[in-house]
């Protein structure tokens, strides 16, 4: 399933004449709905609103290697085994392989309107595998883009760009060991290039994310 119904952009750029709200990661943000434009309520970082992974959860033992400790650094193409929790009743262990961080074109951001002018999108493509064998059907996992060195982009996006970066949910049969699917997380920047993909789900990883770099 692809999330295509609602795309919200939160832009943390003081040069834009936007109403600013506070995010819990220190980035200011302004939210707008793609169509029709509308102000969204002040909120914390969207990544923190996603159901989070918690290494203390009593999830199934990983079947594909040791769980990556918070702060572990990987290269693009490496497979990281991670604890994962979705909602209140789904938890387990997944393996995430970031296959690419692709630079898009500014024109790809047209659906975000004038607030996206000057922004370059980046597409974080990944494979997600169920290694714990628990029922994680219809769950979703998102990675955040970071600048080289791990700095914030100043832009927070929720949603996808159909045909360019489709944010997929896990299929119905994502319930057994070895089940997998591919998805994409959308990020954007108006400054330096995005060179890092960051897993920040759960308290431990929020403070010290697992990252992939080229």
């Amino acid at each position: 399933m692809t999330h295509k119904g609602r795309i919200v952009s939160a832009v943390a750029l003081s040069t834009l004449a936007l109403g600013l709200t506070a995010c819990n990661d220190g980035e200011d943000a302004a939210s707008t709905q793609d169509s029709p434009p509308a102000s969204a309520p002040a909120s914390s970082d969207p990544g923190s609103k996603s159901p989070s992974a918690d290494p203390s959860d009593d999830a199934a033992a990983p079947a594909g290697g040791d769980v990556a400790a918070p702060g572990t650094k990987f290269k693009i193409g490496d497979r990281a085994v991670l604890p994962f929790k979705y909602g209140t009743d789904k938890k387990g262990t997944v393996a995430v392989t970031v296959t690419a961080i692709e630079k898009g074109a500014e024109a790809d951001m047209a659906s975000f309107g004038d607030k996206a002018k000057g922004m370059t999108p980046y597409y974080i493509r990944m494979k997600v595998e169920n290694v714990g064998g628990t029922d994680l059907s219809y769950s979703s996992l998102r990675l955040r883009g970071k600048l080289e060195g791990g700095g914030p982009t100043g832009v927070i996006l929720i949603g996808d760009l159909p045909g360019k970066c489709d944010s997929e949910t896990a299929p119905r049969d994502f319930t057994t060991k070895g089940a997998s699917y591919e998805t994409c997380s959308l990020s954007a920047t108006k400054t330096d290039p995005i060179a890092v993909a960051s897993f920040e789900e759960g308290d431990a990883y929020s403070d010290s994310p697992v990252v992939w770099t080229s």
Side-chain angles (χ1 to χ4, degrees), residues 126-207:
M126 73 194 90
K127 176 183 177 182
V128 183
E129 178 188 351
N130 188 335
V131 298
T134 56
D135 182 359
L136 297 174
S137 57
Y138 305 116
S139 62
S140 62
L141 185 150
R142 181 174 180 267
L143 301 182
R144 292 190 59 185
K146 298 284 189 177
L147 305 181
E148 187 173 4
T153 65
V155 179
I156 301 169
L157 301 174
I158 299 176
D160 57 10
L161 290 176
K164 298 288 186 179
C165 185
D166 294 301
S167 178
E168 304 286 352
T169 57
R172 181 174 60 183
D173 61 356
F174 197 64
T175 59
T176 59
K177 294 179 182 180
S180 66
Y181 70 100
E182 295 182 359
T183 186
C184 180
S185 289
L186 175 64
S187 290
T189 177
K190 201 173 183 181
T191 55
D192 297 330
I194 290 174
V196 177
S198 179
F199 175 83
E200 304 177 5
E201 303 287 352
D203 292 341
Y205 294 96
S206 177
D207 294 336

Side-chain angles (χ1 to χ4, degrees), residues 16-47:
L16 299 181
L18 307 175
L20 298 182
T21 60
C23 290
N24 65 7
D25 62 355
E27 298 177 21
D28 289 333
S31 299
T32 183
Q33 204 167 356
D34 178 34
S35 178
S39 296
S43 66
S44 61
D45 187 310

Side-chain angles (χ1 to χ4, degrees), residues 11-12 14 47 49-50 61 70 110 118 195 203 210:
V11 183
S14 60
K49 299 171 85 172
S50 302
D203 292 341
V210 166

